[in-house]
């Protein structure tokens, strides 16, 4: 399930977008959530097209590409607090910071090569609903795969204190990335404590995620 979740989110971002009717920016000049999604898709396409063999042979360079494209638009700190759930209230600022960094690094290393295995399909951004004055927004998309199947992929955004829209969750066919990992992280913390989980993520990386995924099945 986790691999499907990650791959679907990747496909949604690197697919060819149908032209959007929504405004590119709000009245203040800030990019709307829809425009952020389009920006990520375009930047990833430019970074990967024509460089697949090179990036496949150099995973760290592939990670650098992902960091450059995703990090400016993804609220890692907020997402990690949601993944920690009730444990976030008990964690120190240092623990939350270490967890956010280790968890993000583990995810990118586990799923990075999935970007290179994807053959472009098409992605349609559905009409925007809601007000850009709100603090949260959802960008709804439909991903059409090569076999004709359609996958629903939604991106949850929140407006930061600086007024920028940043993504913090991906919902694939109704399954939230945050919710999916929260249950697994909760089980791990109850077994070995938050420091134990952080240390394992920092030293064992994506292997921890693989173990967590197996145990959740």
């Amino acid at each position: 399930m986790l691999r499907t979740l990650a791959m679907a989110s990747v496909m949604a971002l690197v697919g060819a977008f149908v032209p959007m009717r929504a405004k590119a920016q709000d009245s203040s000049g800030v990019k709307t959530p829809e425009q952020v999604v389009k920006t990520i898709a375009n930047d990833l396409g430019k970074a990967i097209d024509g460089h697949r063999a090179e990036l496949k042979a150099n995973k760290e360079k592939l990670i650098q590409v992902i960091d450059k494209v995703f990090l400016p638009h993804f609220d890692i700190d907020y997402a990690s607090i949601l993944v920690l759930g009730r444990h976030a209230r008990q964690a120190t600022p240092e623990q939350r910071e270490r967890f956010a960094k280790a968890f993000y690094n583990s995810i990118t290393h586990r799923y990075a090569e999935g970007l290179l295995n994807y053959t472009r399909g098409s992605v349609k951004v559905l009409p925007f609903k809601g007000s850009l004055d709100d603090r949260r927004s959802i960008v709804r998309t439909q991903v059409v795969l090569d076999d004709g199947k359609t996958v629903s992929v939604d991106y949850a955004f929140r407006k930061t204190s600086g007024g920028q829209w940043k993504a913090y969750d991906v919902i694939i066919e109704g399954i939230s990335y945050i919710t999916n990992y929260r249950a697994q992280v909760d089980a791990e913390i109850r077994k070995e404590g938050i420091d134990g989980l952080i240390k394992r993520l920092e030293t064992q990386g994506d292997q921890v995620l693989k173990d967590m995924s197996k145990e959740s099945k």
Side-chain angles (χ1 to χ4, degrees):
M1 180 59 71
L2 293 182
R3 182 168 183 79
T4 300
L5 182 69
M7 285 299 295
S9 64
V10 165
M11 286 187 284
L13 290 172
V14 301
F17 275 77
V18 172
M20 295 183 295
R21 297 180 180 178
K23 295 187 299 179
Q25 298 179 329
D26 63 17
S27 58
S28 67
V30 174
K31 285 185 178 179
T32 66
E34 293 94 331
Q35 185 65 15
V36 171
V37 171
K38 184 179 180 181
T39 296
I40 293 173
N42 290 340
D43 289 349
L44 271 178
K46 292 177 183 177
I48 292 176
D49 287 349
H51 303 283
R52 294 179 190 274
E54 176 188 1
L55 294 174
K56 186 175 181 62
N58 189 339
K59 189 172 184 179
E60 289 306 314
K61 188 169 184 178
L62 176 58
I63 295 296
Q64 291 174 11
V65 168
I66 296 173
D67 286 348
K68 182 178 180 180
V69 173
F70 277 94
L71 279 179
H73 306 291
F74 193 77
D75 197 334
I76 295 174
D77 292 335
Y78 184 69
S80 66
I81 287 176
L82 294 180
V83 170
L84 283 172
R86 61 187 180 88
H87 300 289
R89 295 190 297 271
Q90 303 162 0
T92 67
E94 179 187 7
Q95 287 174 323
R96 290 195 294 269
E97 182 179 352
R98 287 177 59 199
F99 175 80
K101 181 178 180 180
F103 191 66
Y104 171 79
N105 287 340
S106 298
I107 289 176
T108 54
H109 277 79
R110 183 178 184 193
Y111 296 117
E113 291 185 8
L115 282 168
L116 305 178
N117 298 327
Y118 173 64
T119 301
R120 281 177 179 266
S122 63
V123 176
K124 179 180 180 180
V125 177
L126 301 180
F128 172 73
K129 293 183 179 181
S131 170
L132 286 178
D133 292 332
D134 294 340
R135 303 299 300 180
R136 297 176 189 273
S137 184
I138 295 287
V139 176
R140 300 182 302 130
T141 73
Q142 287 184 342
V143 184
V144 181
L145 307 182
D146 290 341
D147 60 4
K149 294 181 180 179
T150 300
V151 179
S152 173
V153 183
D154 299 337
Y155 299 92
F157 281 79
R158 70 186 288 263
K159 186 174 284 188
T160 67
S161 58
Q164 303 297 313
W165 286 99
K166 290 194 175 185
Y168 67 89
D169 196 8
V170 181
I171 302 97
I172 313 298
E173 291 292 304
I175 300 175
S176 162
Y177 146 86
I178 294 293
T179 303
N180 199 51
Y181 272 117
R182 181 189 292 150
Q184 297 179 43
V185 166
D186 175 67
E188 291 295 310
I189 291 177
R190 283 190 283 108
K191 285 195 305 184
E192 58 190 80
I194 188 169
D195 281 327
L197 175 57
I198 292 173
K199 185 175 181 179
R200 282 218 301 142
L201 285 170
E202 291 174 336
T203 58
Q204 299 177 36
D206 58 337
Q207 183 59 46
V208 179
L209 299 183
K210 294 177 184 178
D211 294 341
M212 290 167 56
S213 179
K214 291 177 182 177
E215 293 173 4
S216 67
K217 293 180 179 179

